Amino acid sequence: MTTEIDRQWTTRLRKTVVEKLPPEKLLPDTQPAYVASWIYVFGVTTLAALAIVIATGCVLAMKGPLWWHLSSTGHFVNSLHLWSVEIFFFAMVIHLWGKYFMAAWRGGRQLTWVTGVVLFLTSIGAGFTGYVSQTNYDSQWISTQAKDGINATGGGAFFNVLNLGQMLMWHIVLLPLAAVALTAVHVIYVRIKGVVPPFEEEK
Amino acid sequence: MTKKVFNPDVDAPVFKGKYAPYDIIKEGTIAVVVVALLTVVLAVLFSSPDEKAVTIKSWSNATPMDFVATAITELDGTSGTATYGPPYNNAATGQQIGPFTLAKWMGINVKVNTASDFVVAPLSTLADQPALKTALTAFTSASSTQKASWEANYSKALTTGRFSSGTLQVPATNAGPVPVMMSALTAMARSGALDQALVTAKGFYTTDYTKPLLFMADGSFLANKAQAQHLSGDQWGMMNETGSYPGQAWLWLYTMWYQVPPFSTSWGANADALVWAFMMILTLLLALMPWIPGLRSIPRKVKVYRLIWREHYKSV
Ligand code: HEM
């Protein structure tokens, strides 16, 4: 017999979470032996680079969009932001191809794969809006070039790459929020499902 | 109930092997420290590019004749922006994929009328210039055929015109108020006032640079600078940035299509729309990979996984 307490949304949510993701799965202390491969470094590296991208972006945000043109400290923080982004993409692309060649969607891990692809697209959007929000010649050139591609899809009616205010908001609010939320979902899926086992080979 | 058959590309075998201690928090912490250090090293070694933004002021001072030649096309409606179509105006249909005129369907949401936004309205902000005021009144009250004839005459005269000792010198021709307007616009541009007028048309605060960017993109100053910096479309364009930086290297596949036929040749007029459509299909294939028979079997067949998990296969 279910009681009133059992039927509460809160109770049900807690039970589902604890059942799907008990603490031993969220923070496991062992991993299957096959996890001893260099390929697993790239997922963590992507995650670490994302953290540095966000941290350096936050420093740039504190001083506003023009600071880095005017101060050598600002320019250095901008360099940190740029290079952490390059590391982020480098690691993510190897991660992506690694997961492809492992067919890491097997065993009910399709959503991990799909959130990964969406993360890839979100990151490209974040990188692009970053480039056009730099308020320098690169952003002028990239935005005036890119407008034709986006306009050709009809997207230009809603997403005006020449509108700095709009691009900056996407770059520092909307896309980072999406990237962080999706990353959380992505990694939680991995923890729920565990790391995908290797293909079995016939002897 | 029938038992589901095991599909090696969809299902994963149950792992019955050994588990080893693994400290994911420690690994994550080490990763953050290592990436932070690497970032600092790269930033110290390579810094980051920051080429100053171009302005209409710097453009019209560096190459005044290119500025005037562009400005008259904004006035007579023949510039790139004036003839663009959606989302700026309805001068054209915009790109299309077969019968799908996506840009047109989405509408004109970023309205730009080059003659009034780039020329007439900025000039009307200049106070205390009676001759200019008379010229503007004459221009705005003229018929469109009259305007067109003035503009055509001026364009023709402009080809033998020049800019020297701070003034625009264009041979006299039957161009009504246009010469006065163009001289005033050039002076305004060279002072920096046009940059300002284009962004503050709707009020004091501004975060939207659509108009001055479109205006500059119609001239050749921005593009020549890009050419010199190996940034134009046929040089893998916007994926690069100034200097020798990696830029948006991850856009290589997207930018590649612009370099190859038929996108670069017979499909050229609608290349943007077609490249985008093509990339969307490829992206969809990537996202739906786990469900696509054939594609999802490639990893099992090419056996790169044996390299990835080589320790594991050594032990079984
Ligand atoms: C912001 C970008 C991303 C971050 C931070 C991230 C992070 C991670 C982490 C930490 C793991 C667990 C460790 C590992 O298996 O390497 C993981 C697993 C995984 N990732 Fe990503 N990832 C990102 C993007 C992607 C992309 C673009 C794809 C592919 C399209 C992808 C597909 C996968 C898959 C399928 C797994 C499960 C692997 C398994 O079970 O062995 N991820 N990701």
Side-chain angles (χ1 to χ4, degrees), chain A residues 29 31 33 37 40 44 69 75 78-79 83 86 105 107 113 136-138 140-141 148 151 160 165 199 201, chain B residues 8-10 18 20 22 27 47-48 50-51 54 84 207 210 222 226 231 241-242 247 286 305-306 308-309 313:
Chain A
D29 36 33
Q31 286 293 328
S37 163
Y40 295 100
V44 195
H69 301 302
H75 192 114
N78 179 73
S79 305
W83 287 104
E86 296 290 346
W105 52 74
W113 173 264
N136 62 12
Y137 177 71
D138 276 315
Q140 290 181 310
W141 179 247
D148 300 330
N151 290 342
N160 178 4
F199 286 105
E201 298 201 322
Chain B
D9 301 319
V10 176
K18 277 205 298 272
Y22 202 103
E27 190 188 82
S47 183
S48 52
D50 188 18
E51 175 98 16
V54 172
Y84 197 93
T207 57
T210 306
L222 203 65
L231 300 175
E241 53 185 335
T242 49
L286 184 70
Y305 70 83
R306 287 206 119 254
I308 292 173
W309 283 309
Y313 288 108

Side-chain angles (χ1 to χ4, degrees), chain A residues 112-126:
Chain A
T112 316
W113 173 264
V114 174
T115 49
V117 174
V118 179
L119 264 170
F120 184 54
L121 299 179
T122 308
S123 309
I124 288 176

Side-chain angles (χ1 to χ4, degrees), chain A residues 89 128 131 152 163 171:
Chain A
F89 272 98
F128 172 76
Y131 270 96
N163 183 337
H171 182 65

Side-chain angles (χ1 to χ4, degrees), chain B residues 7 76 81 88 92 112 121 138 149 158 181 186-187 204 211 242 294:
Chain B
N7 179 339
D76 70 14
T81 304
Y88 308 126
V112 179
S149 122
L158 193 63
M181 289 165 64
T186 309
F204 176 77
K211 285 172 189 166
T242 49

Side-chain angles (χ1 to χ4, degrees), chain B:
Chain B
M1 242 179 74
T2 53
K3 195 168 170 290
K4 231 181 112 241
V5 256
F6 184 88
N7 179 339
D9 301 319
V10 176
D11 307 308
V14 180
F15 178 68
K16 300 194 200 77
K18 277 205 298 272
Y19 279 70
Y22 202 103
D23 194 346
I24 57 171
I25 294 299
K26 187 171 166 191
E27 190 188 82
T29 310
I30 293 172
V32 171
V33 173
V34 170
V35 173
L37 288 175
L38 186 60
T39 303
V40 172
V41 170
L42 290 167
V44 168
L45 287 180
F46 302 113
S47 183
S48 52
D50 188 18
E51 175 98 16
K52 235 177 148 53
V54 172
T55 56
I56 291 181
K57 180 180 177 179
S58 64
W59 169 28
S60 57
N61 277 284
T63 53
M65 288 315 287
D66 182 56
F67 169 78
V68 186
T70 308
I72 185 70
T73 63
E74 305 295 5
L75 188 65
D76 70 14
T78 56
S79 71
T81 304
T83 56
Y84 197 93
Y88 308 126
N89 48 52
N90 48 28
T93 320
Q95 294 195 10
Q96 53 194 85
I97 305 173
F100 302 105
T101 52
L102 293 172
K104 194 177 165 192
W105 292 344
M106 294 305 158
I108 298 154
N109 281 12
V110 187
K111 250 191 210 113
V112 179
N113 176 327
T114 58
S116 62
D117 293 345
F118 293 180
V119 182
V120 177
L123 286 176
S124 331
T125 64
L126 297 176
D128 310 325
Q129 298 202 22
L132 176 62
K133 200 164 177 218
T134 315
L136 283 173
T137 315
F139 184 81
T140 45
S141 53
S143 71
S144 45
T145 25
Q146 175 68 78
K147 282 182 192 164
S149 122
W150 284 337
E151 289 157 356
N153 290 339
Y154 186 83
S155 300
K156 204 179 291 160
L158 193 63
T159 53
T160 54
R162 61 202 180 93
F163 192 92
S164 75
S165 40
T167 47
L168 179 59
Q169 295 163 5
V170 179
T173 176
N174 179 16
V178 173
V180 174
M181 289 165 64
M182 286 295 126
S183 295
L185 194 73
T186 309
M188 191 181 180
R190 287 165 61 87
S191 75
L194 184 54
D195 284 296
Q196 205 52 31
L198 286 171
V199 290
T200 52
K202 291 212 176 76
F204 176 77
Y205 284 107
T206 171
T207 57
D208 184 357
Y209 293 83
T210 306
K211 285 172 189 166
L213 282 172
L214 286 173
F215 198 158
M216 284 195 286
D218 286 334
S220 31
F221 189 62
L222 203 65
N224 287 345
K225 207 172 153 90
Q227 188 83 34
Q229 297 256 24
H230 62 79
L231 300 175
S232 59
D234 52 11
Q235 297 164 298
W236 293 73
M238 55 158 213
M239 165 179 147
N240 297 320
E241 53 185 335
T242 49
S244 306
Y245 289 89
Q248 302 182 81
W250 47 90
L251 294 180
W252 71 270
L253 188 63
Y254 168 69
T255 9
M256 187 192 79
W257 301 116
Y258 286 94
Q259 327 293 322
V260 299
F263 296 106
S264 64
T265 53
S266 53
W267 290 1
N270 293 305
D272 291 300
L274 291 163
V275 168
W276 267 78
F278 198 57
M279 284 307 288
M280 281 179 195
I281 295 170
L282 291 182
T283 306
L284 213 58
L285 288 181
L286 184 70
L288 299 179
M289 187 71 71
W291 293 276
I292 304 175
L295 285 185
R296 67 181 179 194
S297 311
I298 296 173
R300 181 167 51 86
K301 297 202 169 125
V302 298
K303 291 189 188 293
V304 175
Y305 70 83
R306 287 206 119 254
L307 198 70
I308 292 173
W309 283 309
R310 74 181 165 276
E311 295 300 322
H312 168 77
Y313 288 108
K314 249 188 248 162
S315 68
V316 292

Side-chain angles (χ1 to χ4, degrees), chain A residues 40 43 46 88 92 95 99 104 109 112 116-117 119 186 190 195-196:
Chain A
Y40 295 100
T46 314
F88 170 76
M92 176 167 46
H95 176 67
K99 295 305 158 190
R109 291 171 180 79
T112 316
V117 174
L119 264 170
H186 185 73
V190 178
V195 179
V196 74

